[in-house]
Each structure stands twice: as structure tokens, then as C-alpha cells.
Amino acid sequence: MFSSGLHSCLSFFLIFLLALPPVTAVWPAPKNFTKGTSVLYIHQAIQITYNGEPLSYTHGYWPRELTSKEVVQAGVSRTLGGIFDSKFVPWKLHKPGSKFEPDLNQGQTWLSKLEIVQTAEDKPSAFKPLAGEVDESYSLTVSAEGAAKLTAVSSIGILRGLETFSQLFYQHSAGTFWYTPYAPVEVEDAPLFPHRGVLMDTARHFFPVEDILRTIDAMSWNKLNRLHIHVTDSQSWPLVLPSMPEVSEKGAYHPSQTYSPTDIDNIQKYGAARGVEVYFEIDMPGHIGVVALSHPELIVAYNELPYHWWCAQPPCGAFKMNSSEVDAFLEKLFDDLLPRVAPYAAYFHTGGDELNKNDSMLDDGVRSNSSEVLQPLLQKFIDAQHARVRKAGLAPVVWEEIPLEWNVTIGDDTVVQAWLGGESVKKLTEKGLKVIDSNYNYWYLDCGRGQWLNWDNGAAFQLGFPFNDWCNPTKSWRLVYSHDPVAGLTPEQAALVLGGEVAMWSETIDSTNFDTLLWPRASAAGEVLWSGRIDPVTGQNRSQLEAAPRLNEFRERMVLRGVRSSPVQMTFCTQGSPEECEYAP
Amino acid sequence: MFSSGLHSCLSFFLIFLLALPPVTAVWPAPKNFTKGTSVLYIHQAIQITYNGEPLSYTHGYWPRELTSKEVVQAGVSRTLGGIFDSKFVPWKLHKPGSKFEPDLNQGQTWLSKLEIVQTAEDKPSAFKPLAGEVDESYSLTVSAEGAAKLTAVSSIGILRGLETFSQLFYQHSAGTFWYTPYAPVEVEDAPLFPHRGVLMDTARHFFPVEDILRTIDAMSWNKLNRLHIHVTDSQSWPLVLPSMPEVSEKGAYHPSQTYSPTDIDNIQKYGAARGVEVYFEIDMPGHIGVVALSHPELIVAYNELPYHWWCAQPPCGAFKMNSSEVDAFLEKLFDDLLPRVAPYAAYFHTGGDELNKNDSMLDDGVRSNSSEVLQPLLQKFIDAQHARVRKAGLAPVVWEEIPLEWNVTIGDDTVVQAWLGGESVKKLTEKGLKVIDSNYNYWYLDCGRGQWLNWDNGAAFQLGFPFNDWCNPTKSWRLVYSHDPVAGLTPEQAALVLGGEVAMWSETIDSTNFDTLLWPRASAAGEVLWSGRIDPVTGQNRSQLEAAPRLNEFRERMVLRGVRSSPVQMTFCTQGSPEECEYAP
């Protein structure tokens, strides 16, 4: 009887939960979030304090230096700019003709102050943390009477909380009124994974600096915190090296398609001020063919055809595996580059994916494709490069083939980026290795849009038709959202998963379509990484029914702030209840 | 021996052909095109005559009325604007560091004049032709000495020739010099199919007028000539009807998401002046649920759940099939709308796809889902609506289900839009029906990007995973380009195929991603429709190896003219020979 009574009670409770209107505001979902139904208005002269000192909303504020106060001041200004500039009247989230706005004639209760309290001084690593080094948690309260308080251990935690704060507000259609209908609000929040990233590939297609900065902005709105720039590949070398200018002079697609040291510095500082650590990858010893254009003596198999004998995509080209000239080149490269990037990053990625053993058949110093011959050479190569990375104060990152396919021993500090799916993450964590997950079946956002190679008529046509790419289908936000990097792992293994990255390999992506392909799908991964695939309250996987309305809303915010995110659902669905656009079997 | 000698000779000839540099300029491929290697420069004061009368380049010229001379004057101004404004320095089409530009120090031979000759007066139907009513052929010569001549039967043919003309020119990187490296040029050109279209869906997502106008511009660059606007559907009714304002007042997503009569007029005139006929579809008797918001008495099954019992996607809703009220509503609707659209269009589309028989179970006037009961009602319904269309001077268009699934008899003037692939076009043409082809396996450009419905956890999740949509995969430009609407037909059947349309159903497409998904894929279909899938010179299917360099170039032109076309290939491939990015089995 008792059990039955409890069951009834639980059923009632569940029905009650389901009958609630969907939570709209806030993406990614905070750990704990309660809200009310009181309206508070906000104006541009709101009193703001940071640890007791007044702090004013200054439109377009640019941090003068990378200090806690400057970062918070700039974050506050961006947050309020986001509220006041983006003109987000949320009619797309309500049925046509419905009255969803507060009645201005009822008078206004104003949000009079936002009190920001940082409870500890930022550590020196705050703006270039290793995974877990910075505490991103925060708590936020907004009272129905009009007082808001944001508390965090670090200035990065404050930035995360400010983003949540900004998502509570809408513009009134009558004009210059902005309000939240959710007071009182209480939020306790912290990320599940410390590494939440996006991979940009600037080698297949070059991206202007402004695209990268805009992406950093959107990442910060999503509480994503790592931008991994795969800056070179066999196709092009956009990175200017003052010590070896010939590499980009010969290797860039065009003089306009380069990143100067100033560009790199600006990109990293822009990220650091937003809690987005920008780190770089120079993929090697494969995926480096372009170096042959300036240093042909270092490279084997450059642009050999048919490419698939020598590499995964044209043009082929790999470093010679047993060459003192290659070593000298890399010494010079790292001496040039690493001291410049180390002030703003904790990591440097040395690549290591898809190395084709056949390449070394063409290498006079090796003339073999035997693993037994090549493995020790690769071990030595990796050891040498990682020593250079460490000397610069950085932790190395490698692709999963280095430990799993080549059995190369790597240091305890080294992070492995998994991409091949299946058991990769399990195998890596079983070895005690730290992992970031980019499982291509879920988080390769370039996939499923068709071949980028030319297929002639005849046999090739028959083989290629219907010209799907290798990782078909397109990963919809629903598929992206379904992926849990720690599914099937033991707690010990799961603890080694630092997070993940969505990847935007750019064979068929450039400035024109980048935003539409990255967003809102990276947002879906972002919620998995910040909030977890599993809702801690229900213990169940998060449902699309709960997520879709919030993602619809957040997508509108991204578009209005200048990022061309694709739509989540058609307007009929964003305006209705999620059940109206549900597939019910 | 002779045979062997001939074989050698042919082999030599083929090798010679393959060794030629790829033809770059001009998409879609002209019927006959020869070019040389002399350089001609063009300046803004070039002398232009139209049937002997001088005609000046006037930046941004807007045709004052829809007359031949005004249309040509505006076309000339757009064409020269395209050359001079778009700053197309084609470094993306040449190896880095290569010298591909003429040496300015060698002096300039100028293109001194462009003589435009229209050999016949435009017929009254020139700006709203039925398929085949307007002659779009043209011939163009540019002598090495600097005289250009464009001849066509109609002003629309002149517009087509001007587009080809504009694609001969590049900007010099030194600044204010523009040149063609291809003189002398001779072009003889005419389209294979008279109906070359794009379907826009303004009901799942609304598109601002500017998106439609920009699409018309890009279509005209592609020599596409029909914009089919699927203006209403069960999700929303953006079309303002002055005689029944309540329909859009209740049915639009928002007051801002509507097309006024002035908008419709502007869209059609804009198209007509560019040789793009804009015609509208009001889909019925299914796909019309939204009318229930203003006229509930006319509709059955509005927003019934689970939707898949009643229709193909939420919200359901169909006209009652045996209702004098429905008939009166449509009388009023057509009396309002058709006289307004008829001056600029030859067609009106009455829809007719995916009518679900179950709907009529809920219809008090029918209460049956039997084809025997419903077929005569549908025949009567179609007869009545098509009579109204004809009365307005328009030809009806219907989806293929009307004749093929429902066996409804339609008039000789009626065009059938096929979409279900397989044998549809064959079956329709066997019945002697005129067809436009939108085979979803090739030309539905929204496909393959994932489910747009919400799938809850549990059974739905298992069923939906990995959340592919019904028409996966994405149709890459290579797949789009592989489709021949007349493949497998007899010459008699093929003669009934008027052309085709690519479709951009907008469940997951809005302003943000529309351009990137439409282009360059619609360009690929555009070449099939203008030039043919089969190259008349070789008698073989056109190869991606020949097409890719031209499409790469044309895509750059589209981007520089303001349309966010996705890239065709990565820059390494656009800069190299097509063989460097070929898959060779």
C-alpha cells in the first residue's frame, strides 16, 4: 500500500513536471536553475559593482590588459550590449497573436543593481589554464525586488555567469524596454568537462581573422572554452614565421591568406579575454606536404598521385622520418612560434593522424614501410617535438593514432584527441591517457555533405555515385546532442576524459557557410560538455523535447548578435509546444 | 589496319583533348564556345548600341517599365556593374605565385564597342512566357581587335548573352583594369529545356523580400528562368489577401512575416526584368491547415496528433472535399490573387501532393477514406480550381500525385511537377503529360541534413537514431549534376519534359543558410537544364573534371556579387588542375 501510494505520488509529480511550460531561457542548461514569474525591467544605467567597486556599462569596452578587472569590465559591457543591442523580441517562441509580453502600463519594477563578487584572486593560469586549472563555477540570484548578485571563484566563472544573466532578458516590442519574466532566479552552475572546444581548419580553406574572432564570441556565449586551430596542413601554410618567411610566402594560397604574428596575438588575446583558450596545431609528420614548396628536401611524396597510395587526401606529403634537416627545421619553427603562443595557451597540438607508412618508401633515409622500422623513428620524432613543446611551458596534444596505432609512448602531461569512434576513448583511458573526444560519427560537423574530389565518368563515376563522403550522414544537432563522451566508461576511465571538440574540417567550408554549419550544432555539443548528456536531476539522458525550445531561443540570440546560426526547427515548431513537432511512434 | 590506324588517331586526339587546360569561363556551358588567347581590356565608357541606338552604362539602372529597351538597358547596366564592381581577381583559380595576369606594361587593346542586335520584336508573352514561348538563344562574338556583337531574337536572349559576356572578364590585381584573356570569342548558345527553376518555400520559414530578390538575381546569372514560390502551407500563410485580410492576420507567423500585394508585384516585376518568371503555388487540398486559424469551418484534421495518421508533417489540415464553403472561399481567393499575378506569370500551381485519405474520415460531408468515394470529389475540386486558373489566363501546374495516384484527369495545358523519382517522369510522359522534374533523389536540396522533428527518449529515440531525414543523403553538387531528367525516355517522351526545378523546402532553412544551401547546387542543375547532362560535342555525360573548374570560377563570381554560395572545392583544388583533386580508382 505504501509502495502504491508512493508510486501514485511520483506519477502525479511526473505529470505535473511534464505539464509545465518548457523552460526556455538558458543554454547550456545550468546545474541548478529555479525561476519565478515576476517581471523585472533592466536599464542601461543599472548599478554594477565588482568586489564592491563600481563598474559601468561601457559599450564596446576593450580590455586594456589581461587582468581580472579588465576582463570583468569588458564582459559586463558585452553582456549588457548583448541585451540592449540585439533587439530580441521573442515572438518566434510564442503562438501568433498570443500575449507573451508584460503590460507596460502595469508599471515597472527595475533591476536596480548587479553585484559581482569574485571570491578569490585569479591564479596566474586563469587566462591560459590546463584542463581543470580554472574554476568556472558561479552562482547567480535575481530577486523579485530587483537585486542581482553574481558570485564566482574566478573571473572566468564571472564571465560564464554573465552569459547566463544575459539570457534571462528580452526586448519589449513596444521599443526601449527590456525585461526578464523569470524573477526570482537562482542559479548554481559549473561545467561537467573542463575542455569544451571547437576545431577550426585554416589550411583547406583560409579564414579571415574576423571569422575567428566572431567564432570566439559565439563560443563564449555557449560557454565553450577551447578553440583548436588546425593552422597548417598539406594544402596550405597560412602561418607567417618571421624566422622562415619563405614557408608562408610559398605555402599560403595567396599573400592575403596569412596570419601575421600580430594576428595570432590578437586572436589569442581576444579569446583569453572571453575565457576561450586558443591553441594551435601543426600537424606532423603527415599532413605537412606544403612545406615542400619552400623546403623540398624535408618532404616525401609531395602531391604524389594517385594520392590514395600515399595519404588520405591530396596533396600528399610527410616529413622525412630520419632527417637531421627536418629536426633543424622544427627546432627553428618551434623557437619562433612557441614563445609567441605560450603566454595565452597551455597546449600545443603536434598532430599525428593518418600517417601513411608507404611515404617512407620514398624516403632515402628509410626506404621501408615496416612498422618495426618506422615505429622507433616516430617515437624519436615525437619525443623530440614534445620536448620542445614542454620547454616552452606547454602541454602536448596528439591525435589518437600516435598511442593507439603506433604504440608511441607519450608523457603524462600529454592529451590525446580521439576521433575514430568505436572503442577509441575506452582504449585510451584504459591506458591511463587523458582524452578529448571528437568522435567523427557524432562531432565531425563537416561530414555528410558529399565528396569534395572530382570523379570522372566511367569506372570512377560508378564507384563514387552517389558521391557521399567518407563520414556520411550529416550530423544533425540531434545526433550531435546524443553523444556522451563518457558512455560505457568506468568512473576511473571517465575521469580521464577532459572533454571534447567538434571539428569543422574545411574541405568544403569557408567564410560563406562556416557559421551555418557550426551553429547551432556546436551549441548541442556545448551543452553535453557543460551540462552533461545526462540530466543529474532525472538521471536520464536529456530529451530533445526539453532541449529544442531552449536551443530555438538561444539560436535566435546568436543570430541577433551577428552569427549566422542555422535554424533548429521551422517557425511553426518554435512557436508551438515541443509536442506539436514531436515524432510519436 | 585501317581500323587500328583510326583507333590510334582517335587515341591521340583524346589525349590531346585531355592535355588542354580546363576551360574556365562560362557557366552554364554554352552550346558552342570557342575562344582565343588575346587580351582585351574593357572600360566603363565602352560604346554600347541596341539596334543602332546608343545605350549607356548606368550604374544601378532600374527599368521604368517592362519594355524591351528598358529591360536591355537595365541588363547592360547590371552586366557591366557585375564586371566592374565585383573585383574578381581570380587568384583562387591559379597556382600560388603563378603569373596569370596580362602585363599592363605591354599596352592595352581596348574593347571599344558592344553592339547589341535584337532581330525581332518581343512578343507580348516575352516577359511571362509559357515554356518555349520565348526564344532565349543568342550569339556573341568578341574580336581580338576589340569589337563585340551580341545578337538575339528576344530581349531575354540578350540578357542571357550579356551574362555570358560578363563571365569573360576579370579584374587586374593592379587596380582599375579589367580584361578578358580569351579574345577572340565566338559563342552560339540556346537552352536545352525551357523551364529551369528553383522552388522556394515561404511557409515553413518566411523569407524577406530581399532574399527573394537576391535569389532572382543569382538565378539570372545562372540562366535559370522560373522561380516557383510555394507561398503557403499548413504551417503559415504569409500572403496578404486584401479581400480576406483575416487569412494572413491569423495565419502568418507574425505581422512582419507577410507579403503585401505590393511585395508580390515587386517580386514578379523584378523577376520579369531579369528573365525570371515568378509563379506561385497555393498547395491544396492538403497542406492548407493554417486556413483553420481564420476559417475553421473549411478545414479537417487541423493540427491533429499524432500527425502521421493524418498527414506527412505537423500541423495537419486539409480542405473539406465536398464543401460549398470551401468552394466559395477559393472563388474569393482566386478572384483576389490571380488577376494580380497573371500579368507577370503564365502559370499557377495548385499543389496536390501528399493528400492523406484519412483526413476525410473527419469530414462530416464525406466520412470515408475510400478512393472510390474521394476520387470523384477530388476530380471535381481540381476541375473547379483549374477552371478558375484558366479564366485568369494562366496554365495550371500540379504535383504528380494528382494524375498518378488519384487518376484525376487534367487539361492539356496543365503541367505536372514530378518529385517522387523512380519511374514518375516516364509514367507521366507515357500519358502524354507535360512534366517538370524535381526528383527528390537528386534535386531536393533540403535533404540529408537531419530530422526536424523532436524525438523523445525511449522508443522514439531508438527508432529515430541517427536522426536522418526521409531523403538522406545530402545532394552534393556532384549528385545534382548527375541527374538527367530525360534519361531513359523515348524522344517523344523526352519532348514532353519542359525542364525541372530544384526544391528548397524550408523546414530547416531560413535567411541564414538559404544561399549556402541553394548555391552552387542549383547552378549544377542549371547547367543540366541549360546545356544538357550530355555534352553534344562528345555525346558523353559531362564530367566533373571539366565542370569543377568552371563551377569553381562561377561560384567566386556569385560570392563577389553578394550571394553566399558554398565553396565547390578547397582552394588547393581550385588553384590546381582538376586531376590533382581527382579520385582515380
Side-chain angles (χ1 to χ4, degrees):
Chain A
M1 295 296 277
F2 175 78
S3 155
S4 165
L6 179 66
H7 184 79
S8 297
C9 174
L10 277 172
S11 298
F12 175 78
F13 184 65
L14 283 170
I15 288 162
F16 177 75
L17 274 180
L18 289 170
L20 281 174
V23 175
T24 47
V26 190
W27 187 278
K31 208 163 183 173
N32 289 297
F33 182 26
T34 62
K35 56 180 187 171
T37 55
S38 295
V39 174
L40 279 180
Y41 292 81
I42 186 171
H43 53 68
Q44 308 200 5
I46 180 175
Q47 278 188 26
I48 306 166
T49 59
Y50 172 50
N51 289 345
E53 284 184 60
L55 200 158
S56 68
Y57 164 41
T58 309
H59 197 274
Y61 188 91
W62 197 263
R64 284 167 297 183
E65 46 185 350
L66 216 52
T67 62
S68 309
K69 186 172 175 189
E70 287 290 304
V71 163
V72 170
Q73 165 75 74
V76 163
S77 298
R78 286 196 306 276
T79 298
L80 294 177
I83 294 170
F84 297 122
D85 294 347
S86 64
K87 304 197 193 318
F88 181 38
V89 178
W91 59 262
K92 279 194 196 172
L93 310 177
H94 299 275
K95 287 275 189 194
S98 62
K99 302 279 178 228
F100 60 84
E101 296 185 303
D103 181 353
L104 294 173
N105 296 321
Q106 298 280 320
Q108 280 71 45
T109 305
W110 292 95
L111 183 65
S112 59
K113 63 172 181 177
L114 169 60
E115 184 187 355
I116 299 172
V117 177
Q118 187 178 335
T119 59
E121 273 193 34
D122 280 325
K123 289 188 277 187
S125 63
F127 303 111
K128 47 167 281 184
L130 287 165
E133 262 194 314
V134 67
D135 184 335
E136 297 179 88
S137 70
Y138 67 91
S139 67
L140 172 68
T141 58
V142 182
S143 77
E145 293 72 34
K149 184 171 181 179
L150 171 59
T151 309
V153 174
S154 72
S155 55
I156 304 303
I158 289 169
L159 295 183
R160 306 300 176 235
L162 285 168
E163 181 51 42
T164 297
F165 179 78
S166 80
Q167 291 186 33
L168 301 174
F169 294 92
Y170 306 97
Q171 180 162 334
H172 197 289
S173 61
T176 52
F177 283 92
W178 294 266
Y179 66 96
T180 178
Y182 302 130
V185 172
E186 288 198 33
V187 184
E188 290 286 337
D189 202 7
L192 188 60
F193 293 101
H195 188 114
R196 306 180 302 278
V198 170
L199 182 159
M200 273 187 92
D201 167 8
T202 60
R204 274 71 175 219
H205 275 107
F206 175 83
F207 291 86
V209 171
E210 67 198 53
D211 288 341
I212 299 175
L213 302 187
R214 189 180 62 255
T215 300
I216 290 170
D217 273 319
M219 288 177 67
S220 72
W221 310 334
N222 281 273
K223 301 186 173 77
L224 290 161
N225 67 356
R226 294 288 185 276
L227 178 60
H228 166 179
I229 302 188
H230 180 94
V231 68
T232 63
D233 209 302
S234 277
Q235 287 78 17
S236 78
W237 188 287
L239 186 69
V240 175
L241 299 169
S243 66
M244 296 189 282
E246 70 279 7
V247 185
S248 62
E249 278 167 17
K250 299 280 186 183
Y253 286 136
H254 188 256
S256 68
Q257 312 271 292
T258 55
Y259 301 112
S260 69
T262 307
D263 291 335
I264 297 296
D265 195 60
N266 287 342
I267 289 167
Q268 286 192 296
K269 280 185 184 153
Y270 194 92
R274 285 156 180 80
V276 177
E277 183 177 327
V278 180
Y279 75 105
F280 293 90
E281 174 185 3
I282 296 193
D283 201 350
M284 62 182 84
H287 284 287
I288 196 104
V290 69
V291 168
L293 298 178
S294 54
H295 296 262
E297 70 283 5
L298 308 182
I299 301 293
V300 288
Y302 180 62
N303 208 6
E304 286 288 338
L305 292 175
Y307 76 86
H308 46 88
W309 295 1
W310 312 101
C311 69
Q313 74 176 182
C316 297
F319 274 137
K320 291 181 179 173
M321 289 288 286
N322 191 20
S323 158
S324 58
E325 288 174 304
V326 167
D327 197 63
F329 175 87
L330 287 170
E331 177 83 11
K332 204 167 170 185
L333 164 64
F334 283 140
D335 279 352
D336 179 330
L337 181 63
L338 296 186
R340 292 193 277 116
V341 300
Y344 310 107
Y347 297 99
F348 190 84
H349 200 312
T350 60
D353 55 322
E354 299 185 316
L355 176 60
N356 188 314
K357 290 173 185 149
N358 287 340
D359 289 345
S360 291
M361 296 288 282
L362 302 177
D363 182 348
D364 281 334
V366 185
R367 288 284 176 203
S368 169
N369 62 0
S370 147
S371 295
E372 281 163 43
V373 174
L374 296 175
Q375 199 279 343
L377 294 174
L378 186 59
Q379 179 74 57
K380 191 178 147 200
F381 181 90
I382 298 285
D383 286 345
Q385 304 337 313
H386 284 195
R388 287 167 177 143
V389 170
R390 287 183 189 107
K391 200 181 99 192
L394 296 156
V397 188
V398 293
W399 290 105
E400 67 167 89
E401 289 97 320
I402 293 298
L404 288 188
E405 184 184 328
W406 290 91
N407 287 311
V408 165
T409 304
I410 50 179
D412 280 348
D413 57 344
T414 305
V415 176
V416 184
Q417 184 160 18
W419 65 286
L420 287 163
E423 298 285 293
S424 289
V425 173
K426 193 172 180 62
K427 284 185 206 157
L428 290 164
T429 54
E430 276 172 357
K431 285 174 179 274
L433 295 167
K434 289 195 272 282
V435 175
I436 51 178
D437 185 24
S438 295
N439 187 327
Y440 80 87
N441 296 294
Y442 297 89
W443 286 4
Y444 267 31
L445 302 186
D446 53 303
C447 286
R449 297 163 43 256
Q451 282 287 350
W452 43 265
L453 287 170
N454 295 318
W455 300 69
D456 200 359
N457 292 334
F461 186 93
Q462 298 304 326
L463 199 64
F465 187 88
F467 309 108
N468 293 336
D469 57 38
W470 67 278
C471 51
N472 198 57
T474 300
K475 317 311 172 198
S476 69
W477 78 263
R478 299 171 198 284
L479 184 55
V480 170
Y481 195 65
S482 75
H483 179 54
D484 187 348
V486 294
L489 302 187
T490 66
E492 293 71 27
Q493 291 164 354
L496 289 164
V497 178
L498 306 180
E501 295 179 357
V502 293
M504 289 281 283
W505 300 107
S506 68
E507 283 86 354
T508 55
I509 299 175
D510 73 1
S511 285
T512 57
N513 57 351
F514 182 82
D515 281 12
T516 68
L517 292 167
L518 182 57
W519 312 109
R521 296 186 296 161
S523 305
E527 177 154 298
V528 170
L529 290 167
W530 178 275
S531 321
R533 170 71 182 127
I534 293 168
D535 183 336
V537 176
T538 64
Q540 303 295 312
N541 281 333
R542 295 175 190 277
S543 166
Q544 294 172 19
L545 286 173
E546 188 279 329
R550 286 186 299 111
L551 191 55
N552 282 326
E553 172 169 340
F554 183 59
R555 181 267 178 175
E556 293 305 312
R557 291 185 185 273
M558 288 197 284
V559 170
L560 291 168
R561 290 187 193 178
V563 166
R564 296 177 80 91
S565 168
S566 290
V568 178
Q569 292 187 289
M570 58 185 171
T571 314
F572 173 79
C573 300
T574 70
Q575 291 187 326
S577 72
E579 291 76 15
E580 285 178 280
C581 287
E582 179 184 5
Y583 183 82
Chain B
M1 295 296 276
F2 175 78
S3 155
S4 164
L6 179 64
H7 184 77
S8 297
C9 175
L10 277 173
S11 298
F12 174 79
F13 185 66
L14 283 171
I15 288 163
F16 177 75
L17 274 180
L18 290 171
L20 281 174
V23 175
T24 47
V26 189
W27 188 278
K31 208 164 183 171
N32 289 297
F33 182 28
T34 63
K35 58 181 186 169
T37 56
S38 296
V39 175
L40 279 180
Y41 292 81
I42 185 169
H43 53 68
Q44 307 200 8
I46 180 175
Q47 279 188 27
I48 306 166
T49 59
Y50 172 50
N51 290 343
E53 284 184 60
L55 201 157
S56 68
Y57 164 41
T58 309
H59 197 274
Y61 189 90
W62 198 262
R64 285 167 297 185
E65 47 185 350
L66 217 50
T67 62
S68 310
K69 186 173 174 188
E70 288 290 307
V71 163
V72 170
Q73 165 74 74
V76 163
S77 298
R78 285 195 307 276
T79 298
L80 293 177
I83 294 171
F84 298 122
D85 295 347
S86 63
K87 304 194 193 320
F88 181 38
V89 178
W91 59 263
K92 278 193 197 171
L93 310 177
H94 300 277
K95 287 276 187 192
S98 62
K99 302 279 179 227
F100 59 84
E101 297 186 302
D103 180 354
L104 294 174
N105 296 319
Q106 298 280 321
Q108 280 70 47
T109 305
W110 293 95
L111 183 64
S112 59
K113 63 172 180 178
L114 169 60
E115 185 186 357
I116 299 171
V117 177
Q118 185 178 336
T119 59
E121 273 193 35
D122 281 325
K123 288 188 276 189
S125 63
F127 303 110
K128 47 166 280 185
L130 286 165
E133 262 193 315
V134 68
D135 184 336
E136 297 178 89
S137 69
Y138 68 91
S139 66
L140 171 68
T141 58
V142 182
S143 77
E145 293 72 35
K149 184 170 182 180
L150 171 59
T151 308
V153 175
S154 72
S155 54
I156 304 303
I158 289 170
L159 295 183
R160 306 298 177 234
L162 285 169
E163 181 50 42
T164 297
F165 180 77
S166 79
Q167 291 186 33
L168 302 174
F169 294 92
Y170 306 97
Q171 181 162 337
H172 196 288
S173 60
T176 52
F177 284 91
W178 294 264
Y179 66 95
T180 179
Y182 302 129
V185 171
E186 288 198 31
V187 184
E188 290 286 339
D189 202 8
L192 189 61
F193 294 101
H195 188 113
R196 306 178 303 278
V198 170
L199 181 158
M200 273 187 93
D201 167 10
T202 60
R204 272 73 174 218
H205 275 107
F206 176 82
F207 291 86
V209 171
E210 66 199 53
D211 288 341
I212 300 175
L213 302 188
R214 189 180 63 257
T215 300
I216 289 169
D217 274 317
M219 288 177 66
S220 74
W221 310 333
N222 282 274
K223 301 186 173 78
L224 290 161
N225 68 356
R226 294 287 185 277
L227 178 60
H228 166 178
I229 301 186
H230 180 92
V231 68
T232 63
D233 208 300
S234 278
Q235 287 79 15
S236 79
W237 188 287
L239 186 70
V240 175
L241 299 169
S243 66
M244 295 188 283
E246 70 280 7
V247 186
S248 62
E249 279 167 14
K250 300 278 187 183
Y253 286 136
H254 188 255
S256 68
Q257 310 273 292
T258 55
Y259 302 112
S260 69
T262 307
D263 291 335
I264 297 295
D265 195 59
N266 286 342
I267 290 167
Q268 286 192 298
K269 279 185 184 154
Y270 194 92
R274 285 155 181 80
V276 177
E277 182 176 327
V278 180
Y279 76 105
F280 293 89
E281 174 185 1
I282 296 192
D283 200 351
M284 61 182 85
H287 284 285
I288 197 105
V290 69
V291 168
L293 299 178
S294 54
H295 295 262
E297 70 282 5
L298 308 182
I299 301 293
V300 286
Y302 179 63
N303 209 5
E304 287 287 339
L305 292 176
Y307 76 87
H308 47 87
W309 295 2
W310 312 102
C311 69
Q313 73 176 185
C316 297
F319 273 139
K320 292 181 179 174
M321 290 288 286
N322 191 18
S323 157
S324 58
E325 287 174 303
V326 168
D327 196 63
F329 174 87
L330 287 170
E331 177 82 12
K332 204 166 170 186
L333 164 63
F334 283 139
D335 278 352
D336 179 330
L337 180 63
L338 297 186
R340 294 192 278 116
V341 300
Y344 310 107
Y347 297 99
F348 191 85
H349 201 310
T350 61
D353 56 323
E354 299 184 316
L355 177 60
N356 188 314
K357 289 172 186 152
N358 287 340
D359 289 345
S360 290
M361 295 287 284
L362 302 178
D363 181 349
D364 282 333
V366 186
R367 290 283 176 202
S368 168
N369 63 359
S370 147
S371 294
E372 280 164 44
V373 175
L374 295 176
Q375 199 281 344
L377 294 173
L378 185 60
Q379 179 74 58
K380 192 177 147 200
F381 181 89
I382 298 286
D383 286 345
Q385 303 337 313
H386 285 194
R388 288 168 177 142
V389 169
R390 289 184 188 105
K391 201 181 97 193
L394 295 156
V397 188
V398 293
W399 291 104
E400 67 168 87
E401 289 97 320
I402 293 299
L404 289 187
E405 183 184 330
W406 290 92
N407 287 311
V408 165
T409 304
I410 51 181
D412 282 347
D413 57 344
T414 306
V415 176
V416 184
Q417 185 160 17
W419 66 287
L420 287 163
E423 298 286 291
S424 288
V425 172
K426 193 173 179 63
K427 284 185 206 157
L428 290 164
T429 53
E430 275 172 356
K431 285 174 179 275
L433 296 168
K434 287 194 275 282
V435 175
I436 51 178
D437 185 24
S438 296
N439 187 327
Y440 80 88
N441 296 295
Y442 298 90
W443 286 4
Y444 267 31
L445 302 186
D446 54 304
C447 286
R449 296 163 45 257
Q451 282 288 350
W452 42 266
L453 287 171
N454 294 319
W455 299 68
D456 201 358
N457 293 333
F461 186 93
Q462 299 303 327
L463 198 64
F465 188 88
F467 310 108
N468 293 336
D469 58 37
W470 67 278
C471 51
N472 199 57
T474 301
K475 316 310 173 198
S476 70
W477 78 263
R478 298 171 199 284
L479 184 55
V480 170
Y481 194 65
S482 75
H483 180 55
D484 188 347
V486 294
L489 301 187
T490 67
E492 293 72 28
Q493 290 164 356
L496 289 164
V497 178
L498 306 180
E501 294 179 359
V502 293
M504 289 281 283
W505 300 107
S506 68
E507 284 85 355
T508 55
I509 299 174
D510 72 1
S511 284
T512 57
N513 58 350
F514 182 82
D515 281 12
T516 69
L517 291 167
L518 182 58
W519 312 109
R521 297 186 294 161
S523 305
E527 177 154 299
V528 170
L529 290 167
W530 178 276
S531 321
R533 170 70 183 129
I534 293 168
D535 182 336
V537 176
T538 65
Q540 304 295 312
N541 282 334
R542 294 175 192 276
S543 166
Q544 294 172 19
L545 286 174
E546 189 279 329
R550 286 187 298 109
L551 191 55
N552 283 326
E553 172 167 340
F554 182 59
R555 180 268 177 176
E556 294 305 312
R557 292 185 185 274
M558 289 198 283
V559 171
L560 290 167
R561 290 189 193 177
V563 167
R564 296 176 80 92
S565 168
S566 290
V568 178
Q569 293 188 288
M570 57 184 171
T571 313
F572 173 79
C573 300
T574 70
Q575 290 187 327
S577 72
E579 289 77 15
E580 285 178 281
C581 287
E582 179 184 5
Y583 183 82

